[in-house]
Amino acid sequence: MILHKGEVLFRQGETGPLYHLKSGLLKIVRVHADGALTLVNIIVPDEIIPHHSLMSPNPYYGTAIALVTCEVEVLSAPDWYRHLDYNPEKCRDIALQLQGKLRMMQQRIDQLTEVSPAEKLRKLQLWFQTFIPVASLSELLTQDEIGQLIGLRRETVNRLLRAQSANRE
């Protein structure tokens, strides 16, 4: 299945299949009772999601939205879980995938623990460049979302992005 930028793959609270992201990037946002959105994760190629349902079913934790055009393979949940019962190698594959995601989260923690706001933004930009070349993160994420990923206020992100733009000119 092909998803285009802005299209929703699944919604928070629903249940359904698992998905293998073959190409593209997805964001996972959490919708709060007051309607506020929080960006909680970025899904990169070759991930199978939702992560919290790889071993047993659970409602979707957040809403998955395409950041760019994505190719996604739908995986039948009953077939997936049945296959796990008879294929211990699949459990090892899942453990390796989760290990990879933990390492990615460690990189994100490194971004958050930078002292300099400009360095936080630079590291996030470099991380995104490993998956998709973009001139500016603003092509993919709102300034609020960028701020949520690196622990900065939207106003600070705006100021940093303007300064970067001015330095390029």
Side-chain angles (χ1 to χ4, degrees):
M1 128 180 14
I2 299 295
L3 279 179
H4 297 284
K5 183 177 181 173
E7 291 184 332
V8 173
L9 180 61
F10 57 77
R11 295 188 187 286
Q12 178 178 319
E14 295 176 346
T15 58
L18 289 96
Y19 300 94
H20 174 213
L21 181 62
K22 297 182 129 216
S23 66
L25 293 172
L26 297 167
K27 66 180 176 181
I28 306 295
V29 296
R30 188 109 169 106
V31 182
H32 300 282
D34 64 0
L37 298 177
T38 301
L39 177 61
V40 294
N41 205 353
I42 301 293
I43 306 302
V44 301
D46 287 329
E47 288 192 62
I48 297 173
I49 57 170
H51 299 112
H52 69 278
S53 294
L54 291 175
M55 298 301 288
S56 62
N58 224 348
Y60 299 134
Y61 177 76
T63 298
I65 303 168
L67 287 173
V68 296
T69 299
C70 299
E71 181 183 357
V72 180
E73 176 185 6
V74 180
L75 306 172
S76 161
D79 291 347
W80 175 268
Y81 298 122
R82 191 171 28 258
H83 188 64
L84 290 180
D85 289 338
Y86 300 103
N87 189 345
E89 291 85 30
K90 191 72 170 168
C91 293
R92 184 178 187 283
D93 291 345
I94 291 169
L96 289 171
Q97 179 188 340
L98 292 174
Q99 173 183 277
K101 192 62 178 183
L102 283 172
R103 287 181 177 157
M104 181 185 299
M105 298 309 286
Q106 287 172 324
Q107 289 176 325
R108 296 256 322 275
I109 290 168
D110 284 346
Q111 294 163 5
L112 284 170
T113 57
E114 280 295 330
V115 175
S116 158
E119 189 61 14
K120 286 181 180 190
L121 179 60
R122 187 187 73 76
K123 280 190 169 185
L124 181 65
Q125 290 166 323
L126 288 173
W127 181 82
F128 264 94
Q129 291 292 332
T130 64
F131 299 104
I132 186 164
V134 291
S136 172
L137 276 183
S138 299
E139 295 175 32
L140 299 176
L141 302 170
T142 67
Q143 291 179 1
D144 278 330
E145 291 171 332
I146 295 168
Q148 289 169 6
L149 284 175
I150 55 177
L152 298 175
R153 296 181 58 205
R154 187 203 57 77
E155 295 81 3
T156 304
V157 171
N158 180 288
R159 179 178 48 77
L160 292 170
L161 290 172
R162 280 185 297 146
Q164 282 182 345
S165 181
N167 288 338
R168 279 184 236 148
E169 295 172 359

